[in-house]
Amino acid sequence: MLGTEATWLAFAAFSGLRTISYVPQIIRIAKDRSGASAISYPTWLLWTGANVTTAMYAATNLNDAWLAFVSSIYALCCIVVIALTAIKRLARR
C-alpha cells in the first residue's frame, strides 16, 4: 500500500470515528437536566468556525470535495451541540 493510500484510509477511518464520537456528547446534552452547564459556547463556536472554514478552504482552494464534505459534517455536529445546549439552557429558565 502506498503512503497516499494509507494516509487516505487513516483519514477516512478517523473521520468516521470522529463523526460517531459526537453522538455521545449530543445524547448527554439531550438527557441533561442542569442546562448543559459543562458545555462551553466559545469552544464549540471555535470548533464550528474551524470546521466551516476548513470546508470552505477545501472546496475553493483545494477542490477537495471529500474534505469539504466531512468538514461540513463536523460543523453540523458542532451546531447540533450548540443548539441543544441553547435549548437546554433556555428551558431551565
Side-chain angles (χ1 to χ4, degrees):
M1 181 180 300
L2 298 173
T4 56
E5 292 169 330
T7 56
W8 190 91
L9 286 173
F11 173 74
F14 279 101
S15 292
L17 291 171
R18 179 177 173 181
T19 302
I20 292 167
S21 75
Y22 286 103
V23 174
Q25 183 72 70
I26 291 168
I27 291 170
R28 297 270 322 236
I29 295 167
K31 291 180 177 180
D32 190 277
R33 295 178 187 226
S34 65
S37 60
I39 300 300
S40 167
Y41 281 130
T43 299
W44 284 92
L45 288 168
L46 177 66
W47 290 341
T48 302
N51 289 317
V52 167
T53 55
T54 299
M56 292 169 51
Y57 182 82
T60 59
N61 294 46
L62 304 176
N63 294 317
D64 188 334
W66 176 251
L67 181 59
F69 174 73
V70 296
S71 294
S72 297
I73 296 298
Y74 303 153
L76 179 63
C77 291
C78 290
I79 291 167
V80 169
V81 168
I82 293 166
L84 278 175
T85 300
I87 290 167
K88 288 295 185 170
R89 290 183 184 174
L90 289 172
R92 190 159 186 245
R93 289 184 185 181

